[in-house]
Amino acid sequence: MSWSRRGVLLAALALAACGFAPVYGPGGTGTRLQDKVRTADPRTPDDFAFAGRIAERLGPDGTRYELDWRLRIAVVPQAITPDEITTRYSLNGTASYVLTEIASGRTVARGQVSSFTSYSTTGTTIATLAAEQDAHKRLARLLADQVVTRLLALDPATLP
């Protein structure tokens, strides 16, 4: 056995000894959440992008858990010319979330994630509107990915 294989084997044994388990392995958090999470009803285009990404990652609505969230997105001017014309905007966003077991009403997880993206306004009006809409969608998907990552990092023992 080569030294690199021994290193991989030792690393795997060390991870197994500390309770490491694959997220999508038997009994893993991913397996326990897949197709079991119902998302709150979206109200805005940003919410639709967020909920759509959650469904892509965790599967269609389930009946075991409910994920409620609140998105907050602020538009901040980033690049301003000497003539005071803004040529770039930043979207700063946060998503607060709560995962609840539906049957008992018990809160399983809660938290907040944040991210940002930006877009340019130097093109035509239509190009600027398309860039703004794309930036909103990208930000909502980034926030959803972060929420899913946090949920998948939960200890499987905390999930009823």
Side-chain angles (χ1 to χ4, degrees), residues 18-95:
C18 74
F20 172 79
V23 170
Y24 290 106
T29 308
T31 306
R32 289 181 173 217
L33 292 176
Q34 191 68 37
D35 299 329
K36 294 180 177 87
V37 178
R38 179 177 70 205
T39 60
D41 293 332
R43 297 172 296 277
T44 67
D46 294 330
D47 287 348
F48 275 95
F50 183 89
R53 184 61 177 165
I54 296 286
E56 285 177 26
R57 297 282 310 273
L58 294 178
D61 281 354
T63 57
R64 181 127 195 210
Y65 304 102
E66 180 167 22
L67 179 67
D68 192 20
W69 75 87
R70 182 151 336 275
L71 297 180
R72 285 184 297 278
I73 297 176
V75 180
V76 180
Q78 264 189 327
I80 302 172
T81 66
D83 299 332
E84 297 187 23
I85 297 171
T86 304
T87 60
R88 189 158 197 81
Y89 286 94
S90 175
L91 298 179
N92 299 335
T94 60

Side-chain angles (χ1 to χ4, degrees), residues 131-153:
E132 181 181 9
Q133 290 172 353
D134 180 65
H136 274 269
K137 183 177 179 179
R138 281 184 287 125
L139 180 59
R141 291 174 60 89
L142 282 167
L143 293 170
D145 282 339
Q146 288 183 8
V147 168
V148 170
T149 299
R150 295 264 180 103
L151 294 177
L152 293 177

